Amino acid sequence: MRTILFGTLAYMISTSAAATTIYVNNQTGSNELDGRAPTVADQSGPVASIERAFALVETSGRVEIANTGVPYQRSYPGDRGRSLVPRAGGTPEHPLVVNGDGAVMSGLAVIPEDAWTAEDGFLSLPFWPMSNQFKGHVQMNHWLDETHIWWVDGKLAPNAKSRDELRATPGAFWWDKANRRVLFHKPADVPLASLRVELPANMGIYVHHDYTLVQDLVMMFSWNDGFDIAGSPKGVVFRRCIAFHNCGQGFSCHGTGSALYDECAA
């Protein structure tokens, strides 16, 4: 059963006196710091990753994500994506607040050189993102053109429709969906170590706890859904969040939780 609430929900987003704000900055922060100050001073200062902030934040706390102009990315986790889950929620009077200030999160990860295997003149990698019903679409054994997900050195790479098209297109990718893998036609004159190959490998924010407010964030290139609630959390709000070019749904509600989507787009 799914319950999705649409309407007006008033939230007091001030936190209690005991709650702590965790600051995140992917340019000046360090996960060796405690996250309890917006700038670095001694051992106090922003953490570098949202994942670390979510591990530190307490009930009814606040996570302040700096919009640095550089997307927040994580390392390659293997062939199954990782979600971003806050460790705590809040109360009706003092919800947990995740404030993004318009920051962008990306599910893209740089693929390590040793993750690839050689296959028939190509490089092969397990790839089975949560693309929902599309995975059961037997007639189409390639990725969709509408969602651009293959990146090399910061540029979009061609999306081949077949092994033959891939062979004729250096620098292209082909999702061999039937065999749950992606093949990359590395240009012959370019060492793999010199290329920055990025594919969807991580997921967006998944809320598991009551009274959580997530606002002003953009999620793109998730291995699965962009923003999600799972289990039975109540009083969850996503405000001014945007999800696009994700491999699953932009927003999803699993289980028996309730969520309000306020001025969101997908």
Side-chain angles (χ1 to χ4, degrees):
M1 176 182 178
R2 297 181 180 181
T3 302
I4 304 178
L5 303 181
F6 295 90
T8 301
L9 180 62
Y11 250 166
M12 294 176 59
I13 63 172
S14 61
T15 55
S16 64
T20 300
T21 297
I22 303 296
Y23 295 89
V24 191
N25 189 306
N26 61 358
Q27 297 301 291
T28 64
S30 167
N31 286 342
E32 301 300 317
L33 299 173
D34 61 12
R36 299 194 178 207
T39 57
V40 177
D42 298 324
Q43 296 302 308
S44 186
V47 295
S49 70
I50 299 171
E51 190 170 36
R52 180 59 177 158
F54 280 4
L56 294 172
V57 71
E58 300 169 348
T59 299
S60 295
R62 188 179 182 96
V63 175
E64 284 286 342
I65 302 169
N67 183 357
T68 65
V70 178
Y72 284 79
Q73 289 185 241
R74 289 179 286 164
S75 60
Y76 180 62
D79 59 0
R80 286 195 60 83
R82 294 175 303 176
S83 58
L84 287 164
V85 181
R87 63 176 289 197
T91 67
E93 296 79 16
H94 302 291
L96 176 83
V97 177
V98 178
N99 183 45
D101 193 32
V104 175
M105 303 180 299
S106 174
L108 294 177
V110 177
I111 308 302
E113 186 177 358
D114 60 5
W116 298 97
T117 58
E119 178 184 329
D120 189 27
F122 304 119
L123 295 176
S124 175
L125 185 77
F127 190 68
W128 194 240
M130 295 301 295
S131 51
N132 302 316
Q133 293 183 359
F134 180 56
K135 292 197 291 190
H137 194 289
V138 178
Q139 292 79 10
M140 191 179 292
N141 193 39
H142 58 79
W143 189 255
L144 296 162
D145 280 331
E146 291 80 5
T147 306
H148 306 292
I149 62 172
W150 320 120
W151 294 81
V152 178
D153 291 341
K155 298 179 181 179
L156 284 172
N159 178 41
K161 306 297 191 301
S162 66
R163 183 183 291 268
D164 289 340
E165 182 180 344
L166 179 69
R167 196 174 300 281
T169 315
F173 293 80
W174 171 48
W175 188 32
D176 179 8
K177 186 176 62 162
N179 293 297
R180 302 188 179 190
R181 62 189 175 180
V182 61
L183 300 182
F184 174 43
H185 184 170
K186 183 187 73 65
D189 57 343
V190 182
L192 180 60
S194 69
L195 296 175
R196 180 182 174 89
V197 179
E198 295 174 279
L199 307 179
N202 290 297
M203 298 182 275
I205 292 178
Y206 281 40
V207 175
H208 293 180
H209 300 285
D210 296 344
Y211 302 110
T212 299
L213 169 63
V214 180
Q215 64 184 16
D216 297 312
L217 276 168
V218 177
M219 181 66 206
M220 59 184 183
F221 305 119
S222 171
W223 181 88
N224 191 357
D225 302 332
F227 297 92
D228 195 300
I229 70 170
S232 56
K234 57 183 178 289
V236 178
V237 175
F238 294 100
R239 179 171 294 151
R240 295 183 300 274
C241 291
I242 299 172
F244 69 98
H245 280 334
N246 297 298
C247 295
Q249 301 168 87
F251 296 83
S252 62
C253 179
H254 298 279
T256 58
S258 62
L260 167 70
Y261 304 96
D262 181 18
E263 295 187 80
C264 294

